C-alpha cells in the first residue's frame, strides 16, 4: 500500500467482506457471524489498520488521564499487590487507575479490552493476558493505546512486559526440598501452555536433573485450577507404594489445597510453593516459598507504560524481576 495508512476498504478487500461489515465489527455491533468477525479481525491485525477513536471526541494532545489494569482475580493477594504498585505510579502521573478482572475467561478479556480502549478510551493498558491466544486482539489494541503485559506474555505481540524469574524461583524452591532429603517431589500446576506455568515446570525439572534425581511423569499434574482439585490431587499423590514425599505447587491457590491435603493425610510431606502465603508463619510445619515484591511488579510495569504514553519509542522491553526462596512456619 506504498506506506499509506490502511483503510476500511483495504480491510474489507482482504477479508472478503463489505465495508459495512468491517464497520460493524470495528464498532462491536451484535449479530455478526463468528467466522466473519474472525476474518475481519485477522485482516485488521495483518494490515495494521487503526482507527483512533479518541480523536473523534478529544482535541489534539488531550487525553483521558486514565489507565487500566486487567488482572485475573481481585481476591488473590498476588493481584492486589500488583494493583497497589501500579496505582501508586498512576497517581504520581496524575492518572486514575481502572481495574477489571477476567476470571481467566478469554471472552471476558476481549470484552474488557475493547470497552476500555474504544468506549472509555484509556491512555494505556496494563494487561495480565489469559491463557488463550489473543494475538489479533492484543496486536490490534496495542496499535490504539500503549500496552504493557504483566506476569506473562502472549507470543508475537510487540509490547513491553514485566515478568518474574519463574524458572529460577521454581528451580531453587525444589532444590531446597532436595537438600532437605525429599526425593519423590510431585508438581501441581495450572496450564503448561502459558509461559508462566511452562517456566515453573521447567525449573522443577531442572532442579531434579541437577540433583541426579530421575523425574517421574506420574508425579506431575497440570491443568489444576482450583483449591479443591489441588486438594484431591495431592491426597492421591500421597497414597500408595509409589507415593510422593513432597509437593511443589506452582501458585498460592494451589498451595492452599496442597497444605489441606497434607494435613488430612497426617503430615510428614514436604511442601514448597511459588508465591507467598498469608499467615504462613503460623503453619505448624515449615513450608518453602518463592517470594517477590508484587507491588514492584505492578510499579515497574506502570513506569514502562507511562514512558510509552509520554512518547518513548524503541523496541519492546522485557523486564525480569528476581525472586527469593524463604522458609515460613514450623516450631516457634
Amino acid at each position: 500500500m506504498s506506506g499509506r495508512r490502511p483503510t476500511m476498504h483495504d480491510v474489507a478487500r482482504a477479508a472478503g467482506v463489505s465495508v459495512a461489515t468491517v464497520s460493524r465489527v470495528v464498532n462491536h455491533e451484535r449479530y455478526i457471524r463468528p467466522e466473519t468477525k474472525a476474518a475481519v479481525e485477522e485482516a485488521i491485525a495483518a494490515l495494521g489498520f487503526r482507527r483512533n477513536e479518541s480523536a473523534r471526541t478529544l482535541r489534539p494532545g488531550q487525553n483521558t488521564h486514565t489507565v487500566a489494569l486487567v488482572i485475573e482475580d481481585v481476591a488473590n493477594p498476588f493481584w492486589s499487590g500488583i494493583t497497589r504498585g501500579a496505582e501508586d505510579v498512576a497517581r504520581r502521573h496524575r492518572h486514575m487507575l481502572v481495574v477489571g478482572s477476567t476470571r481467566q475467561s478469554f471472552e471476558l478479556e476481549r470484552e474488557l479490552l475493547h470497552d476500555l480502549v474504544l468506549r472509555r478510551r484509556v491512555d494505556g493498558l496494563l494487561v495480565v493476558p489469559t491463557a488463550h491466544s489473543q494475538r489479533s486482539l492484543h496486536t490490534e489494541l496495542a496499535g490504539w493505546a500503549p500496552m504493557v503485559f504483566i506476569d506473562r506474555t502472549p507470543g508475537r505481540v510487540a509490547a513491553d512486559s514485566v515478568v518474574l524469574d519463574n524458572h529460577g524461583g521454581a528451580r531453587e524452591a525444589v532444590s531446597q526440598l532436595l537438600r532437605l532429603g525429599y526425593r519423590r517431589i510431585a508438581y501441581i500446576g495450572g496450564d503448561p501452555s502459558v509461559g508462566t506455568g511452562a517456566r515453573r515446570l521447567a525449573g522443577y525439572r531442572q532442579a531434579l536433573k541437577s540433583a541426579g534425581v530421575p523425574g517421574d511423569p506420574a508425579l506431575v499434574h497440570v491443568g489444576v485450577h482450583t483449591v479443591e482439585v489441588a486438594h484431591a490431587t495431592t491426597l492421591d499423590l500421597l497414597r500408595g507404594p509409589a507415593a510422593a514425599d513432597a509437593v511443589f505447587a506452582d501458585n498460592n491457590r494451589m498451595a492452599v489445597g496442597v497444605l489441606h491435603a497434607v494435613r488430612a493425610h497426617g503430615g510428614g510431606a514436604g511442601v514448597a510453593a511459588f508465591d507467598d502465603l498469608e499467615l504462613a508463619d503460623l503453619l505448624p510445619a515449615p513450608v518453602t516459598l518463592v517470594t517477590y515484591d508484587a507491588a514492584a511488579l505492578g510499579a515497574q510495569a506502570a513506569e514502562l507504560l507511562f514512558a510509552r504514553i509520554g512518547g518513548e519509542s524503541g523496541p519492546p522491553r522485557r523486564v525480569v524481576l528476581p525472586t527469593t526462596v524463604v522458609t515460613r512456619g514450623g516450631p516457634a
Side-chain angles (χ1 to χ4, degrees):
M1 288 183 285
S2 305
R4 69 176 176 84
R5 185 173 179 175
T7 66
M8 281 194 182
H9 290 277
D10 298 318
V11 174
R13 191 178 304 111
V17 299
S18 68
V19 174
T21 297
V22 174
S23 178
R24 291 178 63 205
V25 172
V26 169
N27 288 299
H28 312 291
E29 295 181 16
R30 294 183 173 183
Y31 312 118
I32 301 172
R33 290 188 301 172
E35 59 270 26
T36 300
K37 183 178 180 182
V40 172
E41 289 178 342
E42 286 291 338
I44 286 172
L47 295 174
F49 171 76
R50 186 168 70 203
R51 188 179 74 174
N52 190 345
E53 292 286 340
S54 297
R56 302 178 65 191
T57 57
L58 299 177
R59 296 188 301 273
Q62 192 177 15
N63 58 38
T64 63
H65 296 287
T66 305
V67 292
L69 170 64
V70 176
I71 58 177
E72 282 190 351
D73 180 6
V74 294
N76 191 322
F78 172 64
W79 305 118
S80 62
I82 287 175
T83 302
R84 184 174 68 254
E87 186 175 38
D88 288 344
V89 174
R91 185 177 292 113
R92 182 154 43 82
H93 286 269
R94 303 193 176 192
H95 275 62
M96 177 179 289
L97 181 73
V98 176
V99 182
S101 61
T102 64
R103 288 172 250 170
Q104 302 184 43
S105 163
F106 70 94
E107 289 294 344
L108 188 52
E109 179 187 12
R110 177 186 293 272
E111 292 175 11
L112 271 172
L113 293 181
H114 273 131
D115 179 69
L116 289 165
V117 172
L118 300 179
R119 189 168 73 86
R120 299 183 184 276
R121 295 163 187 163
V122 296
D123 298 333
L125 292 162
L126 300 166
V127 181
V128 179
T130 58
H132 300 80
S133 176
Q134 296 270 36
R135 178 174 177 267
S136 61
L137 172 69
H138 293 139
T139 300
E140 173 194 358
L141 296 182
W144 289 343
M147 183 180 297
V148 177
F149 293 111
I150 301 177
D151 189 48
R152 61 176 74 114
T153 54
R156 300 181 296 167
V157 178
D160 297 326
S161 61
V162 182
V163 298
L164 295 169
D165 180 11
N166 292 294
H167 183 281
R171 183 190 65 236
E172 183 54 33
V174 176
S175 294
Q176 174 67 7
L177 290 176
L178 291 163
R179 286 192 289 270
L180 292 171
Y182 299 106
R183 287 297 178 269
R184 289 192 54 77
I185 303 172
Y187 179 98
I188 293 181
D191 193 335
S193 67
V194 177
T196 302
R199 291 183 180 91
R200 292 177 187 179
L201 180 56
Y204 158 85
R205 287 172 169 156
Q206 182 62 54
L208 296 178
K209 182 178 179 180
S210 297
V213 175
D216 183 352
L219 294 179
V220 176
H221 287 254
V222 295
V224 179
H225 297 290
T226 67
V227 172
E228 293 74 20
V229 175
H231 178 274
T233 302
T234 302
L235 282 176
D236 288 341
L237 285 165
L238 295 176
R239 294 166 176 159
D245 59 7
V247 181
F248 173 77
D250 84 344
N251 66 56
N252 55 5
R253 296 299 89 191
M254 297 307 96
V256 171
V258 170
L259 288 167
H260 278 293
V262 169
R263 179 183 177 185
H265 186 69
V271 177
F274 209 106
D275 301 331
D276 213 335
L277 291 170
E278 291 181 292
L279 305 180
D281 288 331
L282 301 180
L283 292 171
V287 57
T288 300
L289 299 172
V290 181
T291 68
Y292 45 85
D293 189 339
L297 189 63
Q300 181 67 65
E303 293 289 7
L304 290 178
L305 181 64
F306 280 105
R308 297 295 185 184
I309 292 173
E312 184 175 299
S313 58
R317 289 185 289 174
R318 177 183 172 88
V319 177
V320 180
L321 297 186
T323 59
T324 302
V325 172
V326 300
T327 300
R328 305 261 196 238

